[in-house]
């Protein structure tokens, strides 16, 4: 889907409901000045044997009102020990340290907490009560036509 935010310079083409939850949270969080979605590329060593370098695009770069910065990767808990994820995380931690930022995974527990915060900050409007439906009228049973099986 697409999410638009006054705290992000470009529309966000999020890839999961979790990423959307993070966007909604960052939008309503007063300590967040601005954020970017996949706005930064970090080279990482993909294959040590061949020396293959690839680019990693962390999900969010968040800038807070106090000037601190945080790289955030939204990832399911069961994927955190994936070798590819760990290679990207190592490169992101090096980048973060060199650029005065921190790097974090926001996983299942964090996303559920953000969802509760979002629901508290932006309660859904009450749904209008529907009138009860009248019971359906069923057509009178029609006599069955004889079939070969019934005729035997």
């Amino acid at each position: 889907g697409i999410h638009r935010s006054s705290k992000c310079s470009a529309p966000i083409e999020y890839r999961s409901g979790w990423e959307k939850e993070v966007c909604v949270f960052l939008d309503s969080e007063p300590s967040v000045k601005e954020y970017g979605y996949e706005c930064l590329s970090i080279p990482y060593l993909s294959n040590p044997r061949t020396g293959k370098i690839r680019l990693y695009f962390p999900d969010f770069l968040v800038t807070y009102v106090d000037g601190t910065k945080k790289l955030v990767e939204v990832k399911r808990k069961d994927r955190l020990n994936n070798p590819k994820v760990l290679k990207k995380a190592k490169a992101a931690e090096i980048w973060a340290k060199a650029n005065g930022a921190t790097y974090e995974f926001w996983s299942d527990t964090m996303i559920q907490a953000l969802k509760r915060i979002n629901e508290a900050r932006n309660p859904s409007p009450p749904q209008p009560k529907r009138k009860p439906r009248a019971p359906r009228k069923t057509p009178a049973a029609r006599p069955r036509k004889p079939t070969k099986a019934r005729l035997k």
Side-chain angles (χ1 to χ4, degrees), residues 79-105:
R79 303 276 298 149
L80 295 179
N81 289 319
N82 176 292
K84 186 176 179 181
V85 171
L86 294 173
K87 289 174 189 175
K88 292 176 180 182
K90 182 179 178 182
E93 287 168 353
I94 292 168
W95 184 95
K97 188 174 182 180
N99 289 278
T102 58
Y103 177 71
E104 293 181 4
F105 283 112

Side-chain angles (χ1 to χ4, degrees), residues 118-136:
N118 290 342
E119 288 168 353
R121 288 180 176 169
N122 309 304
S124 300
Q127 298 296 319
K129 292 185 179 181
R130 293 182 176 179
K131 294 179 185 177
R133 286 185 170 179
R136 285 182 146 184

